[in-house]
Amino acid sequence: NVNNNAGTIELRMDIADAVIVNVAVDAKLFAAQTSEFITITGQPSSTTVVEGDVNATFDVTASTNDGGTLSYQWQVDSGGGFGNVTDNATYSGATTDTLTITTTDTSLNGFDYRCIVSSDGGAAPLTSSSASLAVATAAVTISADPANASVTAPNSAQFSVTASTNETLSTLTYS
């Protein structure tokens, strides 16, 4: 038998004519838990930066059907499990949809980041997938050494070298 009175579903089953089982479920509570949800449509992506070169950013895109306002909390795992990120000299946007890492040094290499998205409209929080930060050490590569030169005074000699770097620099200084 199934009865539906005032938002409650009651199931009554007779099993082998000897045992009676009654189950009552609040249909309104069940509907609220299953029909209101958060959807993450853009997951954070792993990124690689060169030490000290540029900021690293992680983004999450989400929506909800519960009519509420979304809130965000970024977390970091530096090897001991995830913990909340707070805004400081290294991080900004800890409670927004974009986390910016403003100090990209090699001590952050291999850290994982994820975001917990919540809504004040009643939907259950949802955690994004994690994304990794790789921080490469800045390196200069010399591809052509200077050649020997012989001159007599008062003449001058000119030397040149060809070098490149994996870092964005406006000038390379040689000494």
Side-chain angles (χ1 to χ4, degrees), residues 37-60:
F37 54 89
I38 294 170
T39 302
I40 295 178
T41 56
Q43 297 283 354
S45 298
S46 295
T47 189
T48 301
V49 295
V50 175
E51 179 180 23
D53 190 13
V54 295
N55 294 339
T57 59
F58 293 100
D59 299 300
V60 66

Side-chain angles (χ1 to χ4, degrees), residues 42-45 55-62 71-75 85-87 90-102 113-117 128:
Q43 297 283 354
S45 298
N55 294 339
T57 59
F58 293 100
D59 299 300
V60 66
T61 305
S71 59
Y72 306 87
Q73 177 60 62
W74 285 94
Q75 295 187 316
V85 172
T86 57
D87 288 339
T90 302
Y91 300 108
S92 66
T95 57
T96 69
D97 60 352
T98 300
L99 177 67
T100 301
I101 303 168
T102 57
Y113 296 87
R114 70 182 185 187
C115 187
I116 299 173
V117 183
S128 73

